[in-house]
Amino acid sequence: RLNACAWRKELAPSTALRTGLGHDLAKWTEFQARYRKELSLPAQKGAIKDLDRLAHVQTITLLYGALDPEQGHWIQNIITHWC
C-alpha cells in the first residue's frame, strides 16, 4: 500500500507537450528540450526544490504513467538527471 502525500502535477509534462510527442521516438529530442524548458518555469523550479529538500530527510517515490513503458523510462531519465 502506498502512502501518497502529494501530487506534484506541475512537474508533469504539459498536455500539449505530451500529446505533441504522440509516442513518436523521432520527436524525443525535441520533447526533452521542451520539457526541460517547462521544468525551468518558477512553479516547477519551486516544486523541484521542495522535492530535493524532502529527499534529504526521507525517502520519496516519484510515480508517473505512460502507455508505452519505454516512454515512461524517458520521463524518468529527464527527472533523474534534472534533480
Side-chain angles (χ1 to χ4, degrees):
R1 182 163 186 239
L2 176 66
N3 183 14
C5 62
W7 177 31
R8 301 310 302 249
K9 185 177 180 179
E10 66 274 21
L11 293 178
S14 66
T15 300
L17 185 54
R18 285 191 322 275
T19 57
L21 179 61
H23 306 284
D24 184 354
L25 183 56
K27 297 178 183 177
W28 175 238
T29 300
E30 176 188 354
F31 175 88
Q32 288 181 85
R34 291 180 57 200
Y35 187 34
R36 286 187 175 106
K37 187 175 181 180
E38 287 184 0
L39 290 173
S40 295
L41 298 172
Q44 286 75 3
K45 285 175 84 171
I48 290 170
K49 286 181 182 179
D50 290 346
L51 286 178
D52 185 54
R53 280 191 294 269
L54 188 60
H56 281 86
V57 297
Q58 69 183 62
T59 300
I60 62 170
T61 303
L62 301 177
L63 301 176
Y64 56 90
L67 294 175
D68 178 349
E70 184 65 26
Q71 287 183 341
H73 293 296
W74 298 346
I75 300 297
Q76 177 187 13
N77 287 334
I78 291 175
I79 293 174
T80 301
H81 290 99
W82 188 264
C83 298

